[in-house]
Amino acid sequence: MHRTGIRRFHLARDVEEALSLLSAYGDGGALLAGGVDLLRGPPGQVEGLIDITGIGLSQVGEARGGLAVGATTTLTEILKNPAASAYVGGILCEVFRQVAVPPLRNMATLGGALVSAHPWGDIPTALVALGAEVRWRGEREGKAPVEELYRGEFRGLFRSAVATEILFPPWNGAFAYEKIGRARYDIALLNSCCGVGIRDGVVAWARVAVGARPDRGERLPWAEQALVGQKPRESLWGEIQDLVQGQVEVGDDRRAGAVWRRHTAGVLVRRALVRATEKAGR
Amino acid sequence: MKITFNLNRVPQYLDVEPGEPLLSLLRLLGMKSVKEGCGTGDCGACTVLVNGRAVRSCLMLAPQIQGKKVLTLEGLGTVDDPHPLQKAFLDSGAVQCGFCTPGMVLVAYELLLRNDNPTRDEVAEAISGNLCRCTGYVKIVDAVLLAAQWKREGRWR
Ligand SMILES: Cc1cc2nc3c(=O)[nH]c(=O)nc-3n(C[C@H](O)[C@H](O)[C@H](O)COP(=O)(O)OP(=O)(O)OC[C@H]3O[C@@H](n4cnc5c(N)ncnc54)[C@H](O)[C@@H]3O)c2cc1C
Ligand code: FES
Ligand code: FES
């Protein structure tokens, strides 16, 4: 358990100080937020830790009709925040209540989850489904959709940049999140976050994402296209379930097999769509 | 490196290794209620309260508690003078080997500080990250509900 490799610990006062320490250490430095992942890993590589929890990035606020969450805000702080609880019918709380357990949620930050980007994680799937964007400060300032970052080599970026804020856009509709694990406290064997907007009795827009496939959460654009313009009805959910079961890319790992994942992905998408549509109609 | 913090309401000024886990620092300071079960954040045996929030001390380093308030079971009650929450655990038969008990008591304490009338489900959610190999959890939930009742009756000091 001893992290003998760590020689220095810095409590950064602002983003500039965190960045200059990060560049001074080169490969030997790491940003520390909740520490849930960083301090769980094997000791070794990290020589200098830069604690960024005191650099003013822990807040939640409304932003252009959506929500802006500071990167070091803990999952508990988000769960307790009225603006976050109200965002798109409470979807963030629905997801975060299923992440780990209360003491870990007291520690884990949204920025840490975004950067760790566990393929089995609940948060990456939700970020992609909700069209979240991340802002960062490095040599330059940057902003990009999380979905786009996850398609590229984003880990290199955050070795020399601080994620500062996660932006959630407004949605005129509702989302629902479904997760299957072996036990309530366990990580997902498969998860899905889906959203719909209903206008004049038909689906105006749809978002369908599946994660822990075992690869990280991704949208299924062909499933979304198949929903748009359709009247929500029992037979539509059946068609989408069949479509997902036919086309979703899944694989085996030691936790679950591809055959089970393929079948269950269709079921989870269907359940999430039915619940999202019910919520959107309220 | 030098750190200052408050341990069970007593100020501490210490020189620590930057990579020293909070769990081992607390045990070195005599807080033997803080147990290492897994060392990876999974079991909850190492739970302590930092600024009133339950955390895993195996996943924290000593320098992270700079300027903060840490509470361990030793700060709650003693063998001769147990806290009502500890007494509720004993009276309800919620303690067998006792390895998980400090962590269970502290997550329950965090819950009851914010909500002294929790439902069974809310208690189950609060203790969901603390593993017990002995009791089967039912009596632990009973104990927390009994302690909550005592709190509402003004029997907590
Ligand atoms: C026992 C256990 C159970 C878990 N269960 C679940 C679960 O059910 N569902 C789920 O989704 N997740 C789960 N997780 C994972 C956990 O939610 C996330 O990994 C956590 O949110 C990480 O956040 P952190 O703040 O602790 O990150 P840290 O450990 O502090 O950092 C993680 C990484 O991100 C980097 N980093 C952190 N913040 C920034 C920033 N602002 N800018 C740039 N880089 C940064 C760090 O350098 C490090 O590389 C679990 C973890 C554990 C230990
Ligand atoms: S020892 Fe910390 S959670 Fe198990
Ligand atoms: S009483 Fe033995 S582990 Fe809980």
Side-chain angles (χ1 to χ4, degrees):
Chain A
M1 188 188 49
H2 281 259
R3 323 288 165 192
T4 43
I6 297 163
R7 303 241 178 81
R8 288 199 184 76
F9 186 101
H10 307 269
L11 263 173
R13 279 163 297 192
D14 48 37
V15 178
E16 287 72 25
E17 191 182 18
L19 285 172
S20 76
L21 284 162
L22 204 52
S23 96
Y25 276 108
D27 284 344
L31 299 175
L32 176 73
V36 165
D37 284 325
L38 204 58
L39 300 177
R40 183 180 155 97
Q45 301 90 348
V46 182
E47 185 192 338
L49 274 181
I50 304 144
D51 186 329
I52 55 167
T53 54
I55 64 174
L57 299 178
S58 301
Q59 66 273 316
V60 182
E62 283 166 47
R64 279 185 264 124
L67 195 74
V69 181
T72 60
T73 314
T74 65
L75 303 186
T76 299
E77 285 164 347
I78 299 170
L79 279 167
K80 306 246 174 237
N81 182 278
S85 304
Y87 173 73
V88 196
I91 182 62
L92 291 181
C93 296
E94 186 175 322
V95 177
F96 294 166
R97 262 196 293 270
Q98 299 183 56
V99 175
V101 288
L104 287 162
R105 298 199 292 258
N106 288 343
M107 305 171 76
T109 68
L110 185 57
L114 181 149
V115 174
S116 278
H118 295 294
W120 44 261
D122 304 298
I123 296 171
T125 308
L127 291 173
V128 164
L130 288 163
E133 293 185 310
V134 57
R135 259 190 227 284
W136 65 84
R137 294 262 309 271
E139 237 170 72
R140 278 187 297 273
E141 293 192 17
K143 184 173 101 166
V146 176
E147 182 179 12
E148 201 177 294
L149 275 189
Y150 281 171
R151 279 200 220 107
E153 216 298 90
F154 66 97
R155 293 193 195 278
L157 168 68
F158 292 115
R159 271 196 277 277
S160 58
V162 180
T164 53
E165 195 173 44
I166 294 93
L167 301 159
F168 294 92
W171 289 99
N172 190 0
F175 280 79
Y177 183 71
E178 292 287 332
K179 168 182 184 175
I180 288 201
R182 284 174 305 183
R184 212 187 154 297
Y185 173 14
D186 206 359
I187 60 174
L189 297 171
L190 200 73
N191 60 42
S192 174
C193 188
C194 297
V196 286
I198 312 289
R199 218 95 60 244
D200 302 325
V202 296
V203 177
W205 59 264
R207 306 278 291 193
V208 176
V210 178
R213 296 170 294 119
D215 291 342
R216 195 182 304 119
E218 258 181 21
R219 280 172 59 206
L220 311 182
W222 35 268
E224 295 171 356
Q225 280 152 23
L227 282 156
V228 173
Q230 301 289 326
K231 204 164 166 279
R233 57 188 193 281
E234 196 49 37
S235 59
L236 177 65
W237 310 136
E239 285 161 28
I240 298 295
Q241 176 173 333
D242 291 346
L243 184 68
V244 171
Q245 287 169 339
Q247 293 194 30
V248 70
E249 281 177 34
V250 288
D252 289 306
D253 67 358
R254 66 197 165 101
R255 304 175 61 77
V259 174
W260 178 86
R261 278 200 168 99
R262 176 169 297 287
H263 175 80
T264 310
V267 177
L268 286 195
V269 166
R270 178 194 184 122
R271 283 184 193 164
L273 283 172
V274 169
R275 280 207 301 115
T277 307
E278 273 169 21
K279 288 198 221 173
R282 267 183 223 147
Chain B
M1 66 184 288
K2 304 248 187 305
I3 59 166
T4 65
F5 68 103
N6 187 298
L7 175 58
N8 297 330
R9 297 173 211 86
V10 181
Q12 307 281 333
Y13 307 91
L14 297 175
D15 206 354
V16 297
E17 291 293 326
E20 171 97 58
L22 177 58
L23 166 52
S24 64
L25 174 72
L26 291 172
R27 287 185 63 85
L28 281 172
L29 292 171
M31 306 299 124
K32 296 290 170 63
S33 72
V34 190
K35 311 284 187 220
E36 181 174 3
C38 61
T40 52
D42 293 286
C43 76
C46 66
T47 303
V48 300
L49 261 54
V50 173
N51 285 355
R53 287 268 176 222
V55 296
R56 308 292 214 218
S57 63
C58 67
L59 294 183
M60 280 184 86
L61 297 177
Q64 286 178 277
I65 55 165
Q66 164 61 35
K68 297 190 173 150
K69 288 188 182 137
V70 179
L71 183 80
T72 70
L73 202 73
E74 287 81 355
L76 216 56
T78 62
V79 173
D80 296 331
D81 183 20
H83 186 278
L85 177 55
Q86 289 170 296
K87 194 164 176 320
F89 267 67
L90 294 172
D91 288 5
S92 307
V95 181
Q96 287 189 30
C97 80
F99 196 83
C100 70
T101 310
M104 287 287 184
V105 170
L106 286 172
V107 292
Y109 186 69
E110 184 198 17
L111 170 73
L112 298 185
L113 283 183
R114 290 179 171 78
N115 175 6
D116 65 9
N117 198 8
T119 61
R120 253 195 123 74
D121 280 352
E122 284 168 337
V123 175
E125 163 72 7
I127 65 164
S128 59
N130 290 62
L131 306 182
C132 174
R133 301 307 306 270
C134 308
T135 65
Y137 303 100
V138 173
K139 294 194 173 195
I140 295 176
V141 178
D142 292 344
V144 180
L145 292 172
L146 178 63
Q149 184 194 321
W150 288 350
K151 188 163 191 277
R152 293 195 300 278
E153 290 169 1
R155 289 165 67 186
W156 278 33
R157 55 198 130 118

